[in-house]
Amino acid sequence: MAERNVTVGVLSYQGSVEEHLYMLEQIPGVRAIPVKTLPALEQIDGLILPGGESTTISKLLKLFHLHEPIRERIQRGMPVWGTCAGLILLAKEIVGEEPHFGVMDITVRRNAYGTQLDSFRQDVVVPEFSPDPIPLTFIRAPWIEKVNSDSVQVLCELNGHIVAAKERNMLVTSYHPELNDDLTTHRYFVEMCRNANWK
């Protein structure tokens, strides 16, 4: 049985947009598009919120009138994956600041891993994604301080901190999978999009 073709969007105001689009294009049956406007948002089966600066991205979402349309689609069941800043955008609670979308039942800490100089990469097994180790790259990354509901599934902990989690149609990773040549996490999200029935 042929796999269902899907269109996956990458929010394209800031961050490693081209890198995510490139990774998605390596996966058969995936059309990858940048999303900056409502017409682009209306084409997609799932959305990646990439790294960048969460406060800036949130302001741009409101400026271009996409904040509420995206939030409404997430609540309807559209698959969404937040990496780094995208994780912060989805969280219901952020240490020291107000939430943005406020849809995922987690508490996060911004820049928990320090400055750009504190960036690092580590190979880790994330059982939900693969039995084999995958490279996790952290750049000024947040971590999840705690999960606030039984509906949140912790997917990976590193040195006592949660760095990947899932709640229903929402996936978050502290790390940047688009900065390596490993497609494991992107393939996992694509399968979430193929299996979703939210439209």
Side-chain angles (χ1 to χ4, degrees), residues 112-129:
Y113 282 104
T115 68
Q116 197 89 3
L117 295 174
D118 300 304
S119 302
F120 68 98
R121 170 181 153 160
Q122 190 166 333
D123 290 349
V124 178
V125 174
V126 184
E128 180 78 5
F129 299 158

Side-chain angles (χ1 to χ4, degrees), residues 10-21 49-54 56-57 60 83-86 176 178-179:
V10 180
L11 189 68
S12 299
Y13 296 135
Q14 193 194 57
S16 47
V17 176
E18 293 300 324
E19 292 87 346
H20 273 296
L21 292 170
L49 306 174
E53 209 291 311
S54 56
T56 301
I57 296 171
L60 290 168
T83 66
C84 200
H176 287 268
E178 77 281 4
L179 299 182

